[in-house]
Amino acid sequence: MSGGHSTYTPTNGFTKWLDSRLPLIRVMNDNVTNFPTPKNLNYWYTFGAILTFCLAVQLVTGIVLAMHYVASADKAFASIEYIMRDVNYGWLIRYVHMNGASMFFLAVYVHMFRGLYYGSYKAPREILWILGVIIYFLMMATAFLGYTLPWGQMSFWGATVITNFFSAFDQVIPGLGSGVLEWLRGDFAVDDAAVKRFFALHYLLPFVIAGVVFLHIWALHVPGNNNPTGIDVKGPQDTVPFHPYYTVKDGFATAIFMMLFAVFVFYAPNYLGHPDNYVEANPLVTPAHIVPEWYFLPFYAILRAVPDKLTGVLLMFGAIGVLFFVPWLDWSKVRSASYRPVFRQFFVLFVIACLALGWAGAQPAEGAALLIAQVGTFYYFIFFIFIMPVVGLWETPRKLPESIAKAVLAKNGHAAVQPAQ
Amino acid sequence: MKIRSMLATAGLLLAALAAPALASESEVALKTAEWSFDGPFGTYDAAQIRRGFQVYKDVCAACHSLKYVSYRNLSGPQGPFHTPADPKLGEDAVKALIDGIEVPDLDDAGEPITRQARLSDPFRSPFANEKAARAANNGANPPDLSVMVKARAGGADYLYSILTGYEEAPGDVVMQPGMSYNRFFAGHQIGMPQPIVSDDQVTYTEPGAPKASVDQMARDVTAFLAWASEPHMEERKRMGLSVLLFLAFLAALLYLSYQRIWADVEH
Ligand code: HEM
């Protein structure tokens, strides 16, 4: 996997034999144990490990749930109650999976903002970034499919509203949208056929994600990690072996993250959910407000920011699509926003815009909330297609340190003689 | 320093995103009660849940099913009638209480019959199907109560408010036939006639039971339904404490290892 040369020497007969047949230990050594990693990575860099943990949790709890869940419009809701009440520790498995999805998104948002801030998408890490965006897109699809499975009111109405997006394409070619819609649902309405296919796909996609994560980490290991200074690694004085330096740091951060996770699972398991999802799906009763899960709210706000349905749908997909082009939209020579005083301000505004969009997505699309959604949507796109390229050309960055090692020394020099951290 | 700012940011992000999505949608501020099961260490009050079961059985069961709960859950390890020293005692107590409840079944010839309910049966549903339920209730469908406390914003407070929120309709409100005015119900016109009407409507038999006032019965049946919605709550909170203590210990060890391992590296 690694672009560099190997640091592994087999020592005994067996490892020599194995190494010339299947160099498993060599690959592990070069990519995990001894992988040279910049020594200045901060805690924002622990979210990759946290995400790997989240994916594993979702896979394990999901497979156990699938052993008891019944994918049918008649029995899905009852089978969830059976899991919650009668399956041994079923309540635990389900609450972990339910809240695990939220924790996964929380971590991926931190991870993505981190990448944007430190310019981790720039050459030579474009493919790494694009694979990340693909993972994010697959995560959204998986979460949407999973949310329909308990067959509560929000499951049903959420699935109905989201699949209805496609009917907007009737505005392009009459019949196209409704045709696609019927094909997706396998029926005229979201019903038994939809639950069954959504379940099949919800089981499949996480394994696709796991495959893309493998490519993502491969693509990370060719150029190596970026770091908070954004400057390239110049030599061994800038790096430490991944193990034990980063295994222990990632491990510590993951333990803290697990504590937050546990607080939700054990003390507020339904806090992030919607009470309506404990009411069985009923096509004849429309809930007062149909709101998606919190991690979709910014996109929901973008969707409803414009009156025209097709434009809304295109904007919403565009908001994800634009992420694919980020490596070529940023024309700055400097990676890290820490050395870009102007861009940094716009970045903070961008984070605020995303949060504001999330807030607006939870409100009915009218009055102040609608206005905030429109301003937020405008800024979201302007940030990528105008601010990124223009600020990159025009801004004078601060002076970059000569190397990571020098940057570290300079930082610690100011902090007098003290143990690190 | 770095960790603190990181955690603070994560917390803010969550709070900012989650809170508005969950804002209560009811028009009137709910009545709030102190529930024994509130908070991270709250537990169910078994005596209260036993009384609440009696209210459910004597009043609500005439209209509402509780189909995801079985009689055995009452005497099971999470149930209010559980007797850990000798489980048989609790089972016998529940058997005595459900004596006379007839549930539908088939006989050996495949003919429909009714028979005495057993512990293994789910709670008996009062109506054969939704149409029968609506026909008996002026067109309104009494919802299943198994997860009701989790299915409404406000949870237990909402149920308690609904049960005690019946009032004379204000002069300017035109009531639909068969509807009752309830201050806390969305739209204020509810298809459920006031179920708990007068003190001592249910006779509390357990020694030491409080007076069966309307307010007390409303609280008790709400507590019973909270238990029915989330029977594993006590186990969940208990396990949460052990998990958090374990994780705190693990995190402390990892932090010390981290300090130790990085001690000789400028970073
Ligand atoms: C299942 C989801 C994901 C997993 C398991 C995952 C895993 C990882 C891991 C283990 C790393 C290395 C450690 C680190 O730098 O934090 C990493 C780095 C990275 N990831 Fe992800 N990732 C996921 C999703 C994403 C997404 C959605 C994006 C962006 C759209 C993304 C962008 C990046 C970038 C740019 C890096 C390199 C960071 C740097 O070196 O500066 N990842 N990922």
mmCIF file of all heavy atoms in Angstrom, chain A residues 27-47:
data_model
loop_
_atom_site.group_PDB
_atom_site.id
_atom_site.type_symbol
_atom_site.label_atom_id
_atom_site.label_comp_id
_atom_site.label_asym_id
_atom_site.label_seq_id
_atom_site.Cartn_x
_atom_site.Cartn_y
_atom_site.Cartn_z
ATOM 1 N N VAL A 27 2.900 -5.805 5.229
ATOM 2 C CA VAL A 27 1.911 -4.767 4.920
ATOM 3 C C VAL A 27 1.438 -4.098 6.212
ATOM 4 O O VAL A 27 1.329 -2.872 6.296
ATOM 5 C CB VAL A 27 0.728 -5.365 4.126
ATOM 6 C CG1 VAL A 27 -0.422 -4.370 4.042
ATOM 7 C CG2 VAL A 27 1.183 -5.750 2.727
ATOM 8 N N MET A 28 1.175 -4.905 7.239
ATOM 9 C CA MET A 28 0.736 -4.340 8.518
ATOM 10 C C MET A 28 1.831 -3.458 9.110
ATOM 11 O O MET A 28 1.578 -2.357 9.602
ATOM 12 C CB MET A 28 0.411 -5.448 9.534
ATOM 13 C CG MET A 28 -0.873 -6.205 9.232
ATOM 14 S SD MET A 28 -2.271 -5.105 9.044
ATOM 15 C CE MET A 28 -2.575 -4.709 10.767
ATOM 16 N N ASN A 29 3.049 -3.947 9.065
ATOM 17 C CA ASN A 29 4.166 -3.196 9.623
ATOM 18 C C ASN A 29 4.311 -1.847 8.933
ATOM 19 O O ASN A 29 4.419 -0.811 9.585
ATOM 20 C CB ASN A 29 5.450 -4.002 9.462
ATOM 21 C CG ASN A 29 6.664 -3.177 9.851
ATOM 22 O OD1 ASN A 29 6.942 -2.989 11.028
ATOM 23 N ND2 ASN A 29 7.373 -2.643 8.867
ATOM 24 N N ASP A 30 4.276 -1.876 7.587
ATOM 25 C CA ASP A 30 4.551 -0.643 6.859
ATOM 26 C C ASP A 30 3.380 0.337 6.904
ATOM 27 O O ASP A 30 3.568 1.538 6.768
ATOM 28 C CB ASP A 30 4.901 -0.962 5.400
ATOM 29 C CG ASP A 30 6.196 -1.758 5.310
ATOM 30 O OD1 ASP A 30 6.896 -1.845 6.348
ATOM 31 O OD2 ASP A 30 6.493 -2.296 4.236
ATOM 32 N N ASN A 31 2.162 -0.198 7.062
ATOM 33 C CA ASN A 31 1.003 0.684 6.997
ATOM 34 C C ASN A 31 0.389 1.020 8.336
ATOM 35 O O ASN A 31 -0.391 1.946 8.445
ATOM 36 C CB ASN A 31 -0.074 0.086 6.095
ATOM 37 C CG ASN A 31 0.309 0.237 4.652
ATOM 38 O OD1 ASN A 31 0.275 1.326 4.115
ATOM 39 N ND2 ASN A 31 0.734 -0.859 4.053
ATOM 40 N N VAL A 32 0.699 0.237 9.346
ATOM 41 C CA VAL A 32 0.138 0.552 10.655
ATOM 42 C C VAL A 32 1.264 0.803 11.643
ATOM 43 O O VAL A 32 1.560 1.942 12.000
ATOM 44 C CB VAL A 32 -0.794 -0.575 11.161
ATOM 45 C CG1 VAL A 32 -1.419 -0.162 12.477
ATOM 46 C CG2 VAL A 32 -1.866 -0.894 10.125
ATOM 47 N N THR A 33 1.954 -0.264 12.016
ATOM 48 C CA THR A 33 2.912 -0.172 13.108
ATOM 49 C C THR A 33 3.934 0.932 12.875
ATOM 50 O O THR A 33 4.101 1.844 13.678
ATOM 51 C CB THR A 33 3.635 -1.519 13.262
ATOM 52 O OG1 THR A 33 2.711 -2.556 12.948
ATOM 53 C CG2 THR A 33 4.141 -1.690 14.668
ATOM 54 N N ASN A 34 4.623 0.859 11.756
ATOM 55 C CA ASN A 34 5.723 1.780 11.537
ATOM 56 C C ASN A 34 5.388 2.937 10.609
ATOM 57 O O ASN A 34 6.273 3.676 10.201
ATOM 58 C CB ASN A 34 6.922 1.021 10.963
ATOM 59 C CG ASN A 34 7.816 0.531 12.093
ATOM 60 O OD1 ASN A 34 7.770 1.076 13.192
ATOM 61 N ND2 ASN A 34 8.601 -0.487 11.813
ATOM 62 N N PHE A 35 4.119 3.076 10.247
ATOM 63 C CA PHE A 35 3.786 4.099 9.262
ATOM 64 C C PHE A 35 4.216 5.479 9.771
ATOM 65 O O PHE A 35 3.806 5.926 10.839
ATOM 66 C CB PHE A 35 2.282 4.084 8.993
ATOM 67 C CG PHE A 35 1.885 4.981 7.864
ATOM 68 C CD1 PHE A 35 2.233 4.667 6.563
ATOM 69 C CD2 PHE A 35 1.180 6.151 8.112
ATOM 70 C CE1 PHE A 35 1.888 5.500 5.513
ATOM 71 C CE2 PHE A 35 0.841 6.995 7.069
ATOM 72 C CZ PHE A 35 1.190 6.662 5.765
ATOM 73 N N PRO A 36 5.093 6.176 9.005
ATOM 74 C CA PRO A 36 5.578 7.472 9.488
ATOM 75 C C PRO A 36 4.461 8.518 9.450
ATOM 76 O O PRO A 36 3.887 8.780 8.408
ATOM 77 C CB PRO A 36 6.705 7.838 8.523
ATOM 78 C CG PRO A 36 6.585 6.918 7.362
ATOM 79 C CD PRO A 36 5.667 5.802 7.695
ATOM 80 N N THR A 37 4.171 9.098 10.600
ATOM 81 C CA THR A 37 3.041 10.012 10.751
ATOM 82 C C THR A 37 3.572 11.334 11.309
ATOM 83 O O THR A 37 4.376 11.316 12.237
ATOM 84 C CB THR A 37 2.019 9.381 11.724
ATOM 85 O OG1 THR A 37 1.787 8.038 11.327
ATOM 86 C CG2 THR A 37 0.715 10.118 11.725
ATOM 87 N N PRO A 38 3.114 12.463 10.771
ATOM 88 C CA PRO A 38 3.601 13.747 11.278
ATOM 89 C C PRO A 38 3.421 13.825 12.792
ATOM 90 O O PRO A 38 2.408 13.365 13.323
ATOM 91 C CB PRO A 38 2.694 14.780 10.590
ATOM 92 C CG PRO A 38 2.149 14.097 9.399
ATOM 93 C CD PRO A 38 2.114 12.637 9.704
ATOM 94 N N LYS A 39 4.399 14.423 13.481
ATOM 95 C CA LYS A 39 4.297 14.369 14.939
ATOM 96 C C LYS A 39 3.458 15.483 15.537
ATOM 97 O O LYS A 39 3.280 15.534 16.748
ATOM 98 C CB LYS A 39 5.690 14.351 15.564
ATOM 99 C CG LYS A 39 6.586 15.519 15.245
ATOM 100 C CD LYS A 39 7.932 15.174 15.851
ATOM 101 C CE LYS A 39 8.906 16.324 15.771
ATOM 102 N NZ LYS A 39 10.212 15.921 16.307
ATOM 103 N N ASN A 40 2.895 16.344 14.679
ATOM 104 C CA ASN A 40 2.129 17.478 15.214
ATOM 105 C C ASN A 40 0.620 17.329 15.011
ATOM 106 O O ASN A 40 -0.096 18.319 15.031
ATOM 107 C CB ASN A 40 2.597 18.763 14.538
ATOM 108 C CG ASN A 40 2.385 18.713 13.033
ATOM 109 O OD1 ASN A 40 2.299 17.627 12.464
ATOM 110 N ND2 ASN A 40 2.289 19.865 12.401
ATOM 111 N N LEU A 41 0.130 16.108 14.792
ATOM 112 C CA LEU A 41 -1.318 15.969 14.584
ATOM 113 C C LEU A 41 -2.054 16.265 15.891
ATOM 114 O O LEU A 41 -1.706 15.751 16.941
ATOM 115 C CB LEU A 41 -1.666 14.552 14.117
ATOM 116 C CG LEU A 41 -1.049 14.117 12.789
ATOM 117 C CD1 LEU A 41 -1.623 12.773 12.364
ATOM 118 C CD2 LEU A 41 -1.266 15.160 11.698
ATOM 119 N N ASN A 42 -3.119 17.092 15.796
ATOM 120 C CA ASN A 42 -3.890 17.412 17.002
ATOM 121 C C ASN A 42 -5.100 16.477 17.127
ATOM 122 O O ASN A 42 -5.269 15.553 16.346
ATOM 123 C CB ASN A 42 -4.323 18.877 16.972
ATOM 124 C CG ASN A 42 -5.060 19.219 15.684
ATOM 125 O OD1 ASN A 42 -5.695 18.353 15.090
ATOM 126 N ND2 ASN A 42 -4.965 20.469 15.262
ATOM 127 N N TYR A 43 -5.973 16.776 18.111
ATOM 128 C CA TYR A 43 -7.104 15.867 18.350
ATOM 129 C C TYR A 43 -8.116 15.847 17.215
ATOM 130 O O TYR A 43 -8.890 14.906 17.092
ATOM 131 C CB TYR A 43 -7.782 16.193 19.685
ATOM 132 C CG TYR A 43 -7.020 15.589 20.835
ATOM 133 C CD1 TYR A 43 -6.168 16.353 21.620
ATOM 134 C CD2 TYR A 43 -7.126 14.227 21.099
ATOM 135 C CE1 TYR A 43 -5.451 15.784 22.649
ATOM 136 C CE2 TYR A 43 -6.414 13.644 22.123
ATOM 137 C CZ TYR A 43 -5.573 14.429 22.896
ATOM 138 O OH TYR A 43 -4.866 13.844 23.900
ATOM 139 N N TRP A 44 -8.151 16.883 16.385
ATOM 140 C CA TRP A 44 -9.071 16.832 15.246
ATOM 141 C C TRP A 44 -8.712 15.661 14.337
ATOM 142 O O TRP A 44 -9.551 15.198 13.574
ATOM 143 C CB TRP A 44 -9.011 18.124 14.431
ATOM 144 C CG TRP A 44 -9.415 19.333 15.215
ATOM 145 C CD1 TRP A 44 -8.596 20.356 15.595
ATOM 146 C CD2 TRP A 44 -10.712 19.651 15.723
ATOM 147 N NE1 TRP A 44 -9.315 21.289 16.311
ATOM 148 C CE2 TRP A 44 -10.612 20.890 16.406
ATOM 149 C CE3 TRP A 44 -11.949 19.011 15.658
ATOM 150 C CZ2 TRP A 44 -11.702 21.492 17.016
ATOM 151 C CZ3 TRP A 44 -13.041 19.614 16.273
ATOM 152 C CH2 TRP A 44 -12.914 20.838 16.942
ATOM 153 N N TYR A 45 -7.471 15.213 14.420
ATOM 154 C CA TYR A 45 -7.024 14.108 13.577
ATOM 155 C C TYR A 45 -7.371 12.738 14.143
ATOM 156 O O TYR A 45 -7.035 11.727 13.564
ATOM 157 C CB TYR A 45 -5.514 14.212 13.335
ATOM 158 C CG TYR A 45 -5.188 15.171 12.213
ATOM 159 C CD1 TYR A 45 -5.239 16.533 12.408
ATOM 160 C CD2 TYR A 45 -4.878 14.686 10.943
ATOM 161 C CE1 TYR A 45 -4.987 17.414 11.384
ATOM 162 C CE2 TYR A 45 -4.622 15.556 9.908
ATOM 163 C CZ TYR A 45 -4.676 16.923 10.129
ATOM 164 O OH TYR A 45 -4.433 17.784 9.097
ATOM 165 N N THR A 46 -8.006 12.709 15.308
ATOM 166 C CA THR A 46 -8.365 11.399 15.854
ATOM 167 C C THR A 46 -9.707 10.914 15.316
ATOM 168 O O THR A 46 -10.108 9.795 15.590
ATOM 169 C CB THR A 46 -8.452 11.454 17.393
ATOM 170 O OG1 THR A 46 -9.449 12.401 17.748
ATOM 171 C CG2 THR A 46 -7.130 11.842 18.014
ATOM 172 N N PHE A 47 -10.394 11.789 14.559
ATOM 173 C CA PHE A 47 -11.736 11.385 14.135
ATOM 174 C C PHE A 47 -11.741 10.316 13.047
ATOM 175 O O PHE A 47 -12.754 9.644 12.843
ATOM 176 C CB PHE A 47 -12.568 12.608 13.739
ATOM 177 C CG PHE A 47 -13.111 13.301 14.953
ATOM 178 C CD1 PHE A 47 -12.335 14.219 15.647
ATOM 179 C CD2 PHE A 47 -14.362 12.981 15.448
ATOM 180 C CE1 PHE A 47 -12.812 14.817 16.804
ATOM 181 C CE2 PHE A 47 -14.840 13.575 16.597
ATOM 182 C CZ PHE A 47 -14.064 14.495 17.281
#
